[in-house]
Amino acid sequence: MSTVFYLVTVLAVLVGCCELIGATYVVGWPAIKRPVTIHRNNVVVVDKRLYFPTAGKIKGFRFYSGAIGNAEIQIWRPQRGADGEPTCTMQYIDNRQLFINNNNQVGKAMYLSLRSPLNVQCGDLLGLEITSDVLVSPITFTMEDGPQYHCVKSFWRGISLRGKTYELTDKFNSKPSRKYSLVAVYDEATPLAIGWVPIKRPYVDTSTARTYVDKRMKFEANGEVVGWQFHAKAVGIVFFQVWRPTRYGPCSFRVIGQTRYESKAGQLGIKQVLLEGDERIKVKAGDVIGWRNPGKGVISGWWTYGEQQQCFLKQKFTPVGQLFHLRDTMTYKPNRKYSLRAKFQSCSASRG
């Protein structure tokens, strides 16, 4: 992750492996100075932690330049085992070349802008091959003892064919736990919105310690919640949640994941929370959206008489992973819509 390109210095530094910036994702490890540059050449290294959570187009790469040399930044598409995890059997998709030619480019955080974007699918992985004639990597990295998350393969004269499937190995000879100072920057495919439009509605819950699950706000495919949009009408704390139906009844659900949000004075109105890395919630088809108010309600709603579509519970705590039997006997205006929806990316690589 060959074409014409140019290099510019960048100042942005990541705080984790992946983050969401508006409609742009970044996938990789922070583009910071790391201590190692000595590296075998013509060896492909694919990091299974660095998967693309959505389809999109890569428009550039951030990296930290540590030495004069060449590399191919690559995209690989893994086959998956019965558990849904990526294996080291992978299809080679595409690459872009990186050249560091003079000392003025060494010792800096850099940006490689692509005039020809790279297309990626959900679940594709970021890889790297050092193509320098000498045993040196132009991108700095760390190598430590610990778990190995990489697939590797040595290619004769650096030749690997786009579209071909290769058997890589999961064995490094030494210090297998590695992080390369390399980040892909790409525009995501437009996420779906699951839920009700986050507009200002006239009511807000005044009861305390209430949990609601709206069975109409259902995910139709596997994927990830990458953000929440809502209208905050009151000050307080709310937990946006994903619940999974069980076989124990129409209002029996298990908590799959949740996001805490604190609404503060002077910050009311239509809001958006974007989730980064492990904050994202993996969902399965059939999961539904809910929320919990430890105190009084935060998000606005509209309710009237009619058919009840929510399940509810008077409960101050709803820990992730726990099963709850909610009720469907709301007595006051049970036909309700709340100004909350999830930003959702469908992805066959996501595991709920």
Side-chain angles (χ1 to χ4, degrees):
M1 293 180 256
S2 301
T3 188
V4 179
F5 66 90
Y6 62 92
L7 297 171
V8 295
T9 303
V10 295
L11 301 177
V13 176
L14 303 182
V15 296
C17 120
C18 315
E19 63 180 347
L20 179 64
I21 307 176
T24 298
Y25 272 109
V26 291
V27 174
W29 298 111
I32 60 176
K33 183 178 181 180
R34 301 179 192 269
V36 184
T37 56
I38 302 301
H39 200 289
R40 288 179 58 195
N41 54 6
N42 299 329
V43 173
V44 170
V45 180
V46 183
D47 193 328
K48 290 190 288 186
R49 295 166 295 185
L50 302 184
Y51 75 94
F52 291 87
T54 69
K57 294 180 180 291
I58 299 176
K59 58 185 180 181
F61 297 96
R62 302 173 188 168
F63 63 97
Y64 193 93
S65 170
I68 293 176
N70 309 328
E72 276 189 2
I73 306 172
Q74 301 175 339
I75 303 300
W76 290 78
R77 188 163 298 154
Q79 295 181 10
R80 296 186 177 267
D83 59 357
E85 296 294 334
T87 70
C88 283
T89 301
M90 300 186 182
Q91 183 183 19
Y92 179 47
I93 301 302
D94 210 341
N95 74 74
R96 291 295 182 265
Q97 301 284 345
L98 169 68
F99 302 99
I100 302 299
N101 298 318
N102 62 71
N103 286 323
N104 291 331
Q105 297 174 326
V106 174
K108 296 179 180 179
M110 308 291 287
Y111 184 70
L112 168 62
S113 180
L114 303 182
R115 293 184 179 177
S116 175
L118 270 172
N119 293 315
V120 293
Q121 293 184 9
C122 168
D124 285 352
L125 299 174
L126 186 61
L128 179 69
E129 180 178 359
I130 306 306
T131 55
S132 307
D133 292 332
V134 293
L135 301 180
V136 64
S137 168
I139 297 175
T140 63
F141 63 100
T142 57
M143 48 191 302
E144 301 171 350
D145 293 321
Q148 178 171 328
Y149 301 99
H150 302 81
C151 298
V152 297
K153 185 175 179 63
S154 178
F155 285 93
W156 182 70
R157 294 184 179 177
I159 297 175
S160 48
L161 301 177
R162 293 181 180 89
K164 185 174 179 178
T165 297
Y166 293 92
E167 294 287 344
L168 284 69
T169 180
D170 58 359
K171 301 296 182 185
F172 263 126
N173 292 331
S174 64
K175 296 188 180 299
S177 187
R178 304 188 181 191
K179 292 180 181 178
Y180 293 79
S181 297
L182 174 65
V183 178
V185 181
Y186 80 109
D187 291 329
E188 63 167 342
T190 303
L192 300 174
I194 309 296
W196 300 111
V197 177
I199 59 175
K200 182 179 180 180
R201 301 179 195 268
Y203 305 129
V204 66
D205 287 305
T206 56
S207 300
T208 60
R210 291 292 194 274
T211 294
Y212 297 92
V213 174
D214 193 325
K215 293 185 286 185
R216 296 166 296 185
M217 298 161 68
K218 182 168 68 173
F219 298 95
E220 300 293 343
N222 294 355
E224 291 182 327
V225 174
V226 299
W228 300 95
Q229 296 172 328
F230 53 96
H231 178 263
K233 188 176 179 66
V235 172
I237 294 172
V238 59
F239 288 82
F240 305 123
Q241 299 176 315
V242 173
W243 292 73
R244 183 161 299 159
T246 72
R247 57 185 175 86
Y248 300 109
C251 277
S252 293
F253 296 90
R254 191 178 303 276
V255 187
I256 299 305
Q258 62 184 8
T259 303
R260 182 185 185 275
Y261 178 80
E262 183 174 359
S263 175
K264 298 180 180 180
Q267 299 179 3
L268 304 181
I270 297 172
K271 300 295 178 182
Q272 177 169 255
V273 173
L274 301 177
L275 306 182
E276 304 174 0
D278 291 340
E279 294 174 343
R280 301 190 199 105
I281 303 172
K282 291 182 171 61
V283 303
K284 288 183 177 180
D287 290 351
V288 293
I289 293 173
W291 61 98
R292 173 169 65 87
N293 302 318
K296 293 183 179 181
V298 170
I299 58 177
S300 67
W302 166 265
W303 45 85
T304 184
Y305 291 105
E307 184 179 359
Q308 180 173 329
Q309 298 291 342
Q310 287 96 13
C311 300
F312 74 100
L313 179 70
K314 181 174 174 60
Q315 182 85 14
K316 191 170 184 179
F317 300 103
T318 50
V320 172
Q322 190 165 330
L323 171 68
F324 291 92
H325 302 288
L326 288 76
R327 300 169 60 190
D328 59 359
T329 55
M330 199 179 297
T331 57
Y332 179 71
K333 294 186 176 181
N335 186 8
R336 303 185 178 193
K337 293 181 181 179
Y338 288 84
S339 293
L340 170 66
R341 65 184 181 185
K343 291 187 68 176
F344 169 72
Q345 283 288 358
S346 174
C347 179
S348 61
S350 297
R351 299 168 294 282

